[in-house]
Amino acid sequence: RSGWRLCGTAIFATGTGPCHLGYAVDADERWRTRSAHVFGTIGTSLVDQRIVASTEATWSIGGRVQTEADGCVELDLGFTTAPRLFTLRRLALQDGQETVVPVAHLDLSAMKLGQSTESYLRLHARAFRFASTAGGPPTVLSVGEHLEVLRYPGRWDSESLPAVDARPSGSVAPHRRSASRHDYHATSPANSEPMCATGSDRAAE
């Protein structure tokens, strides 16, 4: 009622088999992550986990306290870059500004949270220099008008920005590139039309 929700579906391959994971991430009105729900399948195993952050920045998964993530405000689900929208909106960096933030990082194989560090330098209105201790070299993220990630080199490319009500019920926008993973995400404030992005992630996890 007084915050933001981002939800989507990721389909990709891992060493344990095909994965089909849905996610819903909730943030308060100041874009601070408060909870997430990850559900679906990893190989032949069912996944249904709820991640909760307290107002004191302590975290739990399925009621199990995750002390290694204490003090984090941001959440990295690992299998999708979509929640970085919340991070970028909360930071509200101006051109040339840089910051480093601690992030609760989901280890999907162990289903537990650790802590990583992410740095963001706003190059201009549509680009951020990004680096993370969770892995990978520094890169440049291209973002859209609402700071949604449109391109994460080697991992994510936006393919379209369709209006939600422009699609027939139950349909999915076609993809124009072959990909090892597809990720569809949307976010909306409590009282406005949703924003949507359709992308493909070409890097196997």
Side-chain angles (χ1 to χ4, degrees):
R1 293 178 179 269
S2 61
W4 305 83
R5 169 167 290 175
L6 183 148
C7 55
T9 300
I11 303 171
F12 56 100
T14 69
T16 58
C19 300
H20 181 198
L21 295 174
Y23 57 89
V25 185
D26 289 341
D28 64 17
E29 66 278 3
R30 295 170 60 189
W31 302 96
R32 296 174 300 184
T33 300
R34 285 291 169 254
S35 65
H37 185 199
V38 178
F39 52 93
T41 58
I42 299 177
T44 58
S45 301
L46 294 177
V47 174
D48 189 357
Q49 295 288 342
R50 295 188 181 273
I51 302 170
V52 177
S54 73
T55 54
E56 291 77 32
T58 60
W59 294 77
S60 64
I61 296 182
R64 305 183 306 276
V65 176
Q66 306 289 300
T67 56
E68 291 189 12
D70 284 356
C72 297
V73 176
E74 321 300 341
L75 175 64
D76 177 12
L77 292 178
F79 61 88
T80 174
T81 194
R84 287 191 172 89
L85 167 64
F86 287 173
T87 302
L88 296 175
R89 294 300 292 266
R90 187 184 72 82
L91 294 175
L93 297 176
Q94 300 300 309
D95 291 0
Q97 285 187 319
E98 184 174 16
T99 193
V100 176
V101 293
V103 177
H105 179 81
L106 177 64
D107 181 341
L108 193 61
S109 60
M111 202 56 69
K112 66 178 183 180
L113 291 177
Q115 187 170 150
S116 60
T117 300
E118 294 181 350
S119 66
Y120 295 87
L121 168 62
R122 189 161 194 172
L123 301 174
H124 53 77
R126 297 297 179 91
F128 290 80
R129 182 172 175 80
F130 168 78
S132 173
T133 58
T139 190
V140 174
L141 303 179
S142 299
V143 301
E145 177 184 359
H146 304 287
L147 300 186
E148 70 278 17
V149 178
L150 299 181
R151 186 164 193 266
Y152 186 150
R155 295 177 61 88
W156 169 280
D157 283 297
S158 173
E159 293 188 344
S160 62
L161 290 169
V164 171
D165 56 2
R167 295 188 201 171
S169 177
S171 70
V172 175
H175 288 270
R176 297 190 296 274
R177 303 182 183 93
S178 60
S180 60
R181 186 169 92 189
H182 302 300
D183 200 333
Y184 314 98
H185 64 276
T187 185
S188 62
N191 298 303
S192 73
E193 292 299 315
M195 304 179 282
C196 286
T198 302
S200 61
D201 191 323
R202 294 175 292 179
E205 296 281 311

